[in-house]
Amino acid sequence: MSAQPELDFTLSCPIPIAQYPQVVLAHGGGGRLMHNLISQMFAPTFDNPLLAGQHDGAVFNVNGARMAFTTDSYVVRPLFFPGGNIGEMAVYGTVNDLAMCGARPLFLSLGLILEEGLPMETLWRVVQSIQRAAEAAHVQIVTGDTKVVDQGKGDGVYINTAGVGIVEHKRAIGPTQVQPGDQIILSGDIGRHGIAIMAMREGLEFESTITSDAAPLAEPVLQLLDAGIDIHCLRDCTRGGVASTLVEIATTSGLEAHIYENRLPVHEDVRGACEILGLDPLYVANEGRFVAFVRADDAPRALDILREHPLGEEAVILGEVTTGYPRLVTMTSLIGANRIIDMISGEQLPRIC
Amino acid sequence: MSAQPELDFTLSCPIPIAQYPQVVLAHGGGGRLMHNLISQMFAPTFDNPLLAGQHDGAVFNVNGARMAFTTDSYVVRPLFFPGGNIGEMAVYGTVNDLAMCGARPLFLSLGLILEEGLPMETLWRVVQSIQRAAEAAHVQIVTGDTKVVDQGKGDGVYINTAGVGIVEHKRAIGPTQVQPGDQIILSGDIGRHGIAIMAMREGLEFESTITSDAAPLAEPVLQLLDAGIDIHCLRDCTRGGVASTLVEIATTSGLEAHIYENRLPVHEDVRGACEILGLDPLYVANEGRFVAFVRADDAPRALDILREHPLGEEAVILGEVTTGYPRLVTMTSLIGANRIIDMISGEQLPRIC
């Protein structure tokens, strides 16, 4: 390995090194640069049928059991914020990725990367939050690992969780399953997680504290599946917000996702904070919201079921899938104009999750 | 969460905060402090039957399929060293933890935590190594996640992998299965990984370069299982070396593990380097060695099978299990004296894996 000349790697690197000689924050931001890193470097290198699904997790059969498997690392700062903390996020985030595969989450692994000097009391608070969140999400932490890095080589706690779930239905769920005519359901109001974090970082105070929407989403999703709703795709709207989520799905499906700005549920306090911070709520991270692409005639019933659940009370039909502008997300704005919604190319909110 | 007074957490913390107010490097070193963190904080908090096995991974049934699930994070520095690199380790290490559950490794997840400013070419080298290692170990990278942290909040690349494997036999393998009379087989020479890393960090040059033993161990383990060898426990001898591995198993099994110093395979160059560095090879990390606790009358055959495999050519019967000194590891030294082998309490080799 070390004997090979560096030039070889520079020449073969699928990311143009002249343009991106180094990794920048935006490579982890959920926008265009991260998308390029995944689609140009990771996907072709690790190429296999399971990865090719470009979903939140992999679904495979083992001895007749249909399983889902996913992972996420969590580097959010600060560690504690209104409505949640890194431990809770690490459980809910991976549970949600399993749910987006249509799986019932069962088991989680827990990898801790601790920075030397982390107060033991902080670790204890995080560990307790992890267990409380696991109980709330009906999963068990069954295996783990702890590493400690030198002071100045971490930031308190980084957490990785991986999750295993069981898929109890025959449905194929993923961006390649999306069909023209599908209705796009959004499960609730958007922007709260990102704004809760940013307000805390910037020391902003609003009349009422904006709290993260962090929540485990398996229950409402499984209710939709149990009701036989013809779900084609599910995706939680984390890094990069609803906009990036929809762009990813439109790109992979080869179809147009068209949404309506006047249907977007944004709470007044979040809207105000977004204006102060110069953010578009459509791009702000959520930790307890998802979109479901559903066959049109199932959409009203799906909406009813979701709205019965505490985590779906504000669910809306945000738009629909068409063949008009393949691979694009378009939006009818408040004033009735149509515009293209793109991924952000830079980094809007670093280390939001 | 944030409203609760800090005092509550300090008082309830199972690690005495007066003694350990902060996390130190040794909490991740594989010795006594890490053991305490796991047994006093993590195990009681996450308490569940699967975790209680205290093995390298969890084994569970899903719809009739017997699966193994494990995780490890990798924070080794430097990223590239003689005989391996962090990407290769991240694959082999998790593959090996699955093998130690007696499982056939199938699928890996990949969580990257990149530091802003990491040369893109370095990332590319690591990613290629990961794929090469996955091919060598017959596993697929099926799901992943990328996070980027600010410069000075990481160290180039941290990697987490989790792994899923299938258990194709009925055997129960783990420290609680160890029986008096079991023979302890060590699969090869020890100390090479730790010494390769330390020599590079300290800028030491030896006549020949000592290379890491990093290797995927599933094949020789599955050969033992396929041959029907009555294996009671398997464990790879990573952080904390053979000594810490044996102490963990002796503690959990409630039995004595007795070994013989004159049977320890240590290459001359490693022995010399250990003397210069003031290290005991018994405590130095390996990345391609394991111990197998095997029913006595199966031991000779197991040894024969192992020695046929390139990764087991130097396998030895290192000792046996007795009821003499419960929960202890003892060693007959070169001069014939008996001594107790304990875990190290401090940190011998930080960030060795």
Side-chain angles (χ1 to χ4, degrees):
Chain A
M1 194 66 228
S2 47
Q4 283 186 264
E6 295 207 1
L7 194 62
D8 280 0
F9 290 99
T10 306
L11 286 177
S12 66
C13 185
I15 301 288
I17 286 185
Q19 197 178 355
Y20 297 106
Q22 298 183 327
V23 170
V24 298
L25 282 170
H27 281 116
R32 182 63 58 194
L33 286 195
M34 193 175 91
H35 180 84
N36 290 351
L37 196 60
I38 294 170
S39 64
Q40 293 169 18
M41 186 185 285
F42 301 157
T45 305
F46 304 134
D47 185 37
N48 63 67
L50 292 172
L51 201 63
Q54 293 188 41
H55 200 36
D56 277 348
V59 175
F60 46 78
N61 280 286
V62 179
N63 273 15
R66 198 157 170 235
M67 315 284 304
F69 179 36
T70 187
T71 192
D72 262 330
S73 302
Y74 300 85
V75 300
V76 64
R77 65 182 166 85
L79 298 177
F80 298 86
F81 48 82
N85 63 69
I86 191 171
E88 201 174 84
M89 279 183 73
V91 172
Y92 293 163
T94 293
V95 160
N96 291 350
D97 282 348
L98 289 172
M100 297 307 126
C101 298
R104 181 182 301 280
L106 296 176
F107 303 117
L108 258 53
S109 66
L110 175 67
L112 297 171
I113 298 179
L114 310 177
E115 186 191 10
E116 181 188 19
L118 173 74
M120 188 62 75
E121 181 250 343
T122 304
L123 176 61
W124 176 228
R125 285 176 67 184
V126 170
V127 163
Q128 286 185 301
S129 292
I130 291 169
Q131 177 57 16
R132 271 198 301 271
E135 286 169 17
H138 307 294
V139 292
Q140 292 181 323
I141 310 289
V142 295
T143 188
D145 175 61
T146 307
K147 293 290 188 305
V148 181
V149 295
D150 337 40
Q151 199 145 29
K153 300 292 183 187
D155 200 4
V157 190
Y158 297 146
I159 303 180
N160 176 283
T161 49
V164 170
I166 183 161
V167 182
E168 295 165 330
H169 53 84
K170 304 275 180 208
R171 219 171 280 287
I173 293 175
T176 56
Q177 304 298 316
V178 172
Q179 301 295 328
D182 280 358
Q183 299 290 292
I184 304 168
I185 297 179
L186 172 63
S187 70
D189 72 299
I190 63 170
R192 288 211 273 118
H193 177 72
I195 295 301
I197 299 274
M198 287 306 284
M200 194 165 173
R201 280 197 212 152
E202 305 291 327
L204 299 179
E205 302 226 352
F206 304 107
E207 269 179 49
S208 60
T209 303
I210 296 171
T211 57
S212 169
D213 61 338
L217 296 171
E219 200 176 76
V221 168
L222 292 173
Q223 283 177 2
L224 292 173
L225 288 164
D226 288 346
I229 300 293
D230 194 358
I231 298 177
H232 295 155
C233 185
L234 293 161
R235 186 71 59 99
D236 52 345
C237 311
T238 55
R239 275 181 289 181
V242 171
S244 304
T245 303
L246 293 177
V247 172
E248 274 179 29
I249 295 171
T251 306
T252 307
S253 70
L255 297 166
E256 176 191 353
H258 184 78
I259 63 171
Y260 300 89
E261 190 172 11
N262 63 4
R263 300 185 191 175
L264 263 181
V266 186
H267 285 196
E268 216 35 68
D269 52 358
V270 169
R271 192 177 295 282
C274 278
E275 277 170 19
I276 292 168
L277 293 163
L279 299 173
D280 181 342
L282 209 51
Y283 291 90
V284 176
N286 312 280
E287 285 294 325
R289 300 292 177 259
F290 66 99
V291 288
F293 287 65
V294 173
R295 203 185 63 209
D297 50 3
D298 268 357
R301 197 160 60 93
L303 197 64
D304 287 346
I305 293 167
L306 262 181
R307 285 181 171 169
E308 288 288 308
H309 195 282
L311 291 172
E313 282 170 358
E314 298 180 53
V316 296
I317 294 182
L318 187 62
E320 66 265 335
V321 176
T322 79
T323 54
Y325 297 96
R327 308 173 81 81
L328 288 185
V329 178
T330 58
M331 181 168 80
T332 302
S333 72
L334 294 177
I335 57 165
N338 272 325
R339 66 181 181 94
I340 292 174
I341 303 292
D342 202 359
M343 276 188 188
I344 39 173
S345 59
E347 172 73 21
Q348 195 189 43
L349 300 168
R351 293 183 56 191
I352 206 73
C353 62
Chain B
M1 197 68 228
S2 47
Q4 280 184 265
E6 293 204 7
L7 194 61
D8 280 358
F9 290 98
T10 307
L11 285 176
S12 67
C13 184
I15 301 288
I17 286 186
Q19 198 179 352
Y20 296 105
Q22 299 183 328
V23 169
V24 298
L25 283 170
H27 282 116
R32 182 63 58 193
L33 286 192
M34 192 177 91
H35 181 84
N36 290 350
L37 196 61
I38 294 170
S39 64
Q40 292 168 19
M41 185 186 284
F42 301 157
T45 305
F46 303 134
D47 184 37
N48 62 65
L50 291 173
L51 202 61
Q54 294 189 42
H55 199 36
D56 276 347
V59 175
F60 45 77
N61 279 285
V62 179
N63 274 14
R66 198 157 169 235
M67 314 284 303
F69 180 34
T70 187
T71 192
D72 262 329
S73 302
Y74 300 84
V75 299
V76 66
R77 65 180 166 85
L79 299 176
F80 300 85
F81 48 83
N85 63 70
I86 189 170
E88 201 175 85
M89 278 184 75
V91 172
Y92 293 162
T94 293
V95 160
N96 290 351
D97 281 349
L98 289 171
M100 297 305 125
C101 298
R104 181 182 301 281
L106 295 176
F107 303 118
L108 258 51
S109 66
L110 175 67
L112 296 171
I113 298 179
L114 310 177
E115 186 190 8
E116 181 187 17
L118 174 75
M120 188 61 76
E121 180 250 343
T122 304
L123 176 61
W124 176 229
R125 286 175 67 184
V126 170
V127 163
Q128 286 184 301
S129 292
I130 290 170
Q131 177 57 16
R132 270 197 302 270
E135 286 169 15
H138 307 293
V139 293
Q140 292 181 324
I141 310 289
V142 295
T143 189
D145 174 62
T146 307
K147 293 290 188 306
V148 181
V149 296
D150 337 42
Q151 200 146 27
K153 300 291 183 187
D155 201 5
V157 190
Y158 297 147
I159 303 181
N160 177 284
T161 49
V164 170
I166 184 161
V167 182
E168 294 166 331
H169 54 84
K170 304 275 179 207
R171 221 171 279 285
I173 293 175
T176 56
Q177 305 299 317
V178 172
Q179 301 293 329
D182 280 359
Q183 298 291 294
I184 305 168
I185 297 179
L186 172 63
S187 70
D189 72 298
I190 63 171
R192 286 210 275 119
H193 177 71
I195 295 302
I197 298 275
M198 288 306 286
M200 193 163 174
R201 280 197 212 151
E202 306 291 326
L204 298 181
E205 303 226 352
F206 304 107
E207 267 179 51
S208 59
T209 303
I210 296 172
T211 58
S212 169
D213 61 338
L217 297 171
E219 201 176 77
V221 167
L222 292 172
Q223 284 177 1
L224 292 174
L225 287 164
D226 288 347
I229 299 293
D230 194 359
I231 298 178
H232 295 154
C233 186
L234 293 161
R235 185 70 59 97
D236 52 345
C237 311
T238 55
R239 275 181 290 181
V242 171
S244 303
T245 302
L246 293 177
V247 172
E248 274 180 27
I249 295 172
T251 306
T252 306
S253 69
L255 297 167
E256 176 191 352
H258 184 78
I259 63 172
Y260 300 89
E261 192 172 10
N262 63 4
R263 300 186 192 173
L264 264 180
V266 185
H267 285 197
E268 215 37 64
D269 52 358
V270 170
R271 193 179 295 282
C274 279
E275 276 170 19
I276 291 167
L277 293 162
L279 298 172
D280 181 342
L282 208 50
Y283 291 90
V284 175
N286 312 280
E287 285 294 324
R289 299 294 177 259
F290 66 99
V291 289
F293 287 64
V294 172
R295 203 184 64 209
D297 49 2
D298 268 358
R301 197 159 60 93
L303 197 64
D304 286 346
I305 293 168
L306 263 180
R307 285 182 172 168
E308 288 289 307
H309 195 281
L311 291 172
E313 281 171 358
E314 297 181 54
V316 295
I317 295 183
L318 187 62
E320 65 266 336
V321 177
T322 78
T323 55
Y325 296 95
R327 309 172 80 81
L328 288 185
V329 178
T330 57
M331 181 168 81
T332 302
S333 72
L334 293 178
I335 56 166
N338 273 324
R339 67 180 182 96
I340 292 174
I341 303 292
D342 202 0
M343 277 189 188
I344 40 172
S345 59
E347 173 72 22
Q348 195 191 39
L349 300 169
R351 295 183 55 192
I352 206 73
C353 62

